[in-house]
Structures are given as C-alpha cells and as structure tokens.
Amino acid sequence: MFLAQTGSVLSHMTMPSWWKFLDFIFLAISFLAVYRSTQTTKINWVKPALWLSYAFLFIIVINEKLELIPLPETVIYIPTLALIAFHLYNKKYCNCTTNECCTNEG
C-alpha cells in the first residue's frame, strides 16, 4: 500500500483512486474494534474514552476529506495514539478466561 503512494509521490503522479478510500476502510475497522472492546470491557471509563477517541478520529478524517477547517497533519496522531493506548490498556486489564467474565461488569 505504502509503496504505491510513495511511487506516485516520487513520480509526481496523482494518488491512486483506491488510496483516497483507505481512510474509510481504516475507520470501519476502528469502529468494529471500538465496538467489540466496549462490549467486552469491565472498566467503565474505558468505554467513553474509546468512543470519544474514535469520534475525534472520525471528525478529523472527515474534515481532511472535506477540507473544512485547516488543521496540521499531525493532529490525526492524537486520537490515533489515544485509541491505541486505550485498546492496549483494556487488553492488559481485562484478562478474561471466559467469554463472559468482562461483559457488563465493573
């Protein structure tokens, strides 16, 4: 994936059409990951933290596509790193041995 984008930048070509939709694929995967994590976590504060991080990421991606508010490219790292951190935290502290031990507890 990244070779296609790098090759188009180096040869001064426009981005491939599929590259523009890659953000939406990652948003869909992130949505599924957040949804699944909030269904199985026992830590109540992680649920809104994950959804808030996802919402922030979604807004930044949509803003980038529609070019509504000029933001630095590095802003997208804030919700992305937050999602990663909350997922890792959730994975570390929700060590279930059965499928139902974390659901709706806490």
Side-chain angles (χ1 to χ4, degrees):
M1 287 189 305
F2 297 109
L3 290 176
Q5 198 269 342
T6 303
S8 66
V9 169
L10 292 175
S11 62
H12 304 293
M13 295 170 48
T14 59
M15 279 190 263
S17 59
W18 59 268
W19 186 262
K20 296 175 185 177
F21 297 105
L22 209 52
D23 288 335
F24 296 111
I25 293 169
F26 286 126
L27 276 177
I29 293 169
S30 297
F31 177 84
L32 294 173
V34 169
Y35 178 77
R36 177 70 178 140
S37 292
T38 57
Q39 295 299 309
T40 59
T41 189
K42 67 179 180 180
I43 307 167
N44 285 334
W45 67 266
V46 171
K47 294 176 186 183
L50 284 167
W51 282 117
L52 188 63
S53 298
Y54 177 79
F56 191 28
L57 178 65
F58 182 83
I59 290 168
I60 289 174
V61 169
I62 296 300
N63 179 61
E64 185 177 296
K65 296 298 179 191
L66 299 177
E67 300 175 356
L68 300 172
I69 301 169
L71 294 172
E73 291 289 326
T74 55
V75 171
I76 201 163
Y77 292 120
I78 296 168
T80 303
L81 292 174
L83 272 175
I84 292 168
F86 291 133
H87 275 294
L88 291 175
Y89 182 86
N90 186 46
K91 186 166 178 65
K92 181 176 181 180
Y93 292 105
C94 186
N95 297 321
C96 299
T97 56
T98 66
N99 288 339
E100 296 180 10
C101 71
C102 294
T103 307
N104 299 323
E105 291 181 13

